């Protein structure tokens, strides 16, 4: 967990003690390391940069403006999946010509906003989307660059909820239909098909599915070209896995070799859309123990972070490492404990039978590998405000999202007069009913 390390007995994010952040910002709080973010991003740049491969950070992994802006300052583009993410990417200063728009269900409003913003590319996932976009772009007097997202029908061998490239998954255009639809797209005045996209899933540990999918896409490129169609761009998706527990993900070099071997000689401009592998290891969720109580099986550590803050364990059965902020002594007795949140669901369990040193009320822990799909998936379930987010940069840090106030949580809600009994007409009607 470099970027996060023990110094003089306590866990630091770069040169800032997590105890200081907890004291000043409170808990639960997401803490990100700018240095780790940069290292993760530069690794992609080093492997692919020489070959002019576009790197579009997938905002859904972590859309915090500071994080997106920081990545943008390194040269990253954005992969977005909603109007909200378009607005986030633009607000963070990502130039429109570095934004690509993915997603299976883009509304007319979203497509129109993307066309108007002049984004680089829309990844079209179906025939109705193609027809809708053509109309919207023509109405705006534009010709929108698009690629068709293909479902290559490969098994990504990842968690079923994040596998996206198998026939029957909701994503993409069936491989067999792609050629006809590409031809149709080429005939429409509102769109300019420039290539193909695919994204077969997330947290991929095995490179074989990539190889199979990229081979199929390469074959399709040849077929389209034989048909006289122009194919200049390939968007290869994201999805490289990371280590949460004992996974052994491929290196970027190995991944790049596969890219080179399968689609490297087609003369296409390549793009990738990594999310998890850029931000996951750059973040921890800092949380405090409320109580430790005796359970029937194991002792139970009850944290002040819940499934609303960190959903992956309850959603996917995901593993997150748990680090005591105070460094355990080498001879500390490790015991198996259940680590849970305060939310009223048994699903609000982060870990069962996790080996940890003695921890009690007020002790701090950090959930590791929590930079991706953690804060961005959080909710206010149980009327728990969204956690604060902090970005550490060397010796200093900034609160990049203030802890949500309880007032802000329900500021947009409204009680109609007929409910509160202050509307005289409704009150009369109510009396009649009674
Ligand atoms: C989620 C997603 C990504 C990012 O996937 P990671 O596993 O986070 O790298 C990239 N492209 C598309 C289309 C996605 O939906």
């Amino acid at each position: 967990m470099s970027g996060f390390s023990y110094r003089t007995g306590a866990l630091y994010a770069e040169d800032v003690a997590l105890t200081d952040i907890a004291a000043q910002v409170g808990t639960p709080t997401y803490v990100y390391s700018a240095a780790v973010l940069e290292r993760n991003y530069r690794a992609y740049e080093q492997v692919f940069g020489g070959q002019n491969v576009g790197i579009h950070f997938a905002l859904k992994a972590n859309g915090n403006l500071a994080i997106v802006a920081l990545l943008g300052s390194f040269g990253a583009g954005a992969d977005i999946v909603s109007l909200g993410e378009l607005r986030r990417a633009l607000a963070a200063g990502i130039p429109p010509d570095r934004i690509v728009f993915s997603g299976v269900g883009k509304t007319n409003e979203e497509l129109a906003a993307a066309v108007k913003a002049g984004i680089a590319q829309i990844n079209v996932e179906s025939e109705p989307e193609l027809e809708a976009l053509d109309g919207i772009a023509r109405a705006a007097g534009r010709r929108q660059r698009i690629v068709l997202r293909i479902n290559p029908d490969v098994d990504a061998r990842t968690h079923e909820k994040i596998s996206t490239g198998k026939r029957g998954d909701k994503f993409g255009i069936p491989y067999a239909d792609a050629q006809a639809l590409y031809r149709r797209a080429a005939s429409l005045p509102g769109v300019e098909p420039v290539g193909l996209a695919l994204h077969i899933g997330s947290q991929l540990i095995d490179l074989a599915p990539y190889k199979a999918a990229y081979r199929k896409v390469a074959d399709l490129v040849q077929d389209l070209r034989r048909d006289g169609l122009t194919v200049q761009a390939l968007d290869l998706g994201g999805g490289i896995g990371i280590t949460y527990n004992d996974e052994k993900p491929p290196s970027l070099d190995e991944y790049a070799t596969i890219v080179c071997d399968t689609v490297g000689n087609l003369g296409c401009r390549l793009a990738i859309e990594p999310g998890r592998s850029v931000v996951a290891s750059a973040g921890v969720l800092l949380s405090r123990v409320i109580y430790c109580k005796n359970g029937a099986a194991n002792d139970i550590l009850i944290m002040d972070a819940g499934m609303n803050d960190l959903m992956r364990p309850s959603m996917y059965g995901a593993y997150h490492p748990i680090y005591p902020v105070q460094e355990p002594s080498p001879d500390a007795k490790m015991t198996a404990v259940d680590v849970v949140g305060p939310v009223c669901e048994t699903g609000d369990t982060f870990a069962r039978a996790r080996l940890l040193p003695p921890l009690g009320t007020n002790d701090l822990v950090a959930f590791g590998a929590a930079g991706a799909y953690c804060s961005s998936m959080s909710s206010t379930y149980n009327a728990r405000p969204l956690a604060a987010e902090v970005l550490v940069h060397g010796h200093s840090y900034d609160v990049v999202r203030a802890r949500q106030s309880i007032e802000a949580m329900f500021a947009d809600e409204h009680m109609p007069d007929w409910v509160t009994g202050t509307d005289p007409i409704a009150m009369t009607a109510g009396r009649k009913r009674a």
Side-chain angles (χ1 to χ4, degrees):
M1 195 173 61
S2 59
F4 300 89
S5 58
Y6 287 109
R7 286 190 199 173
T8 61
L11 193 58
Y12 275 62
E14 302 191 26
D15 302 321
V16 177
L18 292 181
T19 47
D20 288 348
I21 293 175
Q24 285 156 37
V25 185
T27 54
T29 292
Y30 280 97
V31 179
Y32 307 112
S33 157
V36 178
L37 262 180
E38 171 153 22
R39 196 175 55 229
N40 290 346
Y41 179 79
R42 299 284 186 211
Y44 273 100
E45 202 178 49
Q46 269 153 28
V47 166
F48 288 110
Q51 298 151 66
N52 193 24
V53 174
I55 305 170
H56 302 274
F57 172 62
L59 248 71
K60 74 178 190 283
N62 191 322
N64 183 286
L65 292 185
I67 298 229
V68 179
L70 182 64
L71 291 169
S73 76
F74 304 147
D79 172 60
I80 59 161
V81 294
S82 69
L83 177 56
E85 287 192 354
L86 172 63
R87 296 285 295 276
R88 274 188 179 277
L90 293 172
I94 305 292
D97 65 2
R98 278 198 250 141
I99 298 177
V100 302
F101 193 173
S102 305
V104 70
K106 310 181 192 76
T107 64
N108 287 352
E109 183 198 10
E110 291 177 315
L111 290 172
V115 168
K116 183 158 177 256
I119 69 166
Q121 168 187 308
I122 295 180
N123 297 6
V124 171
E125 297 212 18
S126 65
E127 177 166 14
E129 182 187 346
L130 177 68
E131 303 292 343
L133 176 58
D134 174 57
I136 286 164
R138 274 189 289 131
R142 298 279 183 91
R143 185 149 193 244
Q144 175 64 49
R145 287 164 61 91
I146 64 162
V147 298
L148 296 190
R149 175 169 174 182
I150 306 306
N151 182 326
D153 188 20
V154 299
D155 183 350
R157 296 180 213 164
T158 183
H159 192 284
E160 61 172 48
K161 288 187 186 171
I162 49 175
S163 166
T164 57
K166 184 107 184 84
R167 204 163 71 93
D169 289 344
K170 69 179 179 178
F171 296 96
I173 292 154
Y175 189 80
D177 302 344
Q179 192 162 349
L181 201 62
Y182 202 99
R183 208 180 301 124
R184 166 85 183 135
S187 74
L188 297 174
V191 295
E192 181 192 5
V194 296
L196 300 171
L198 75 169
H199 170 71
I200 57 174
S202 193
Q203 185 56 7
L204 269 71
I205 297 301
D206 186 353
L207 282 175
Y210 275 122
K211 201 178 212 169
Y214 293 170
R215 282 224 176 96
K216 287 183 101 165
V217 160
D219 289 345
L220 185 55
V221 170
Q222 309 285 18
D223 291 345
L224 294 172
R225 285 177 174 167
R226 266 194 294 275
D227 204 5
L229 296 159
T230 307
V231 188
Q232 313 156 347
L234 286 182
D235 185 336
L236 301 172
I240 292 264
I242 64 140
T243 302
Y244 286 100
N245 186 7
D246 51 8
E247 303 90 340
K248 303 254 177 322
S251 71
L252 282 188
D253 283 319
E254 293 169 287
Y255 172 69
T257 303
I258 300 259
V259 169
C260 247
D261 290 353
T262 52
V263 297
N265 59 357
L266 295 168
C268 284
R269 192 169 33 76
L270 301 179
I272 48 173
E273 308 161 342
R276 188 188 309 270
S277 49
V278 174
V279 277
S281 64
V284 300
L285 174 59
L286 184 58
S287 173
R288 211 178 267 286
V289 176
I290 304 177
Y291 305 118
C292 181
K293 74 171 183 180
N294 299 120
N298 304 311
D299 281 353
I300 302 175
L301 272 186
I302 304 161
M303 308 303 306
D304 68 359
M307 64 189 286
N308 67 300
D309 303 299
L310 177 60
M311 176 138 61
R312 297 189 67 261
S314 52
M315 179 101 157
Y316 310 115
Y319 179 103
H320 282 268
I322 298 174
Y323 305 99
V325 168
Q326 187 179 1
E327 186 171 20
S329 71
D331 55 0
K333 185 169 171 282
M334 305 293 269
T335 50
V337 296
D338 293 347
V339 184
V340 307
V343 169
C344 303
E345 290 205 19
T346 301
D348 184 24
T349 296
F350 296 116
R352 284 197 191 274
R354 186 68 63 89
L355 282 179
L356 287 170
L359 288 165
T361 298
N362 281 333
D363 285 341
L364 291 166
V365 308
F367 292 90
Y373 304 105
C374 291
S375 178
S376 62
M377 290 177 78
S378 61
S379 77
T380 58
Y381 186 39
N382 277 209
R384 294 168 47 82
L386 297 176
E389 295 182 285
V390 158
L391 179 61
V392 174
H393 182 219
H395 288 277
S396 66
Y397 70 86
D398 294 274
V399 176
V400 294
R401 184 176 75 191
R403 187 176 311 286
Q404 187 181 37
S405 71
I406 287 173
E407 295 71 33
M409 199 172 18
F410 51 73
D412 293 332
E413 296 173 26
H414 173 69
M415 294 178 281
D417 292 345
W418 61 267
V419 171
T420 54
T422 51
D423 174 349
I425 298 171
M427 283 173 71
T428 315
R431 228 176 279 130
K432 258 189 221 145
R433 257 203 317 274

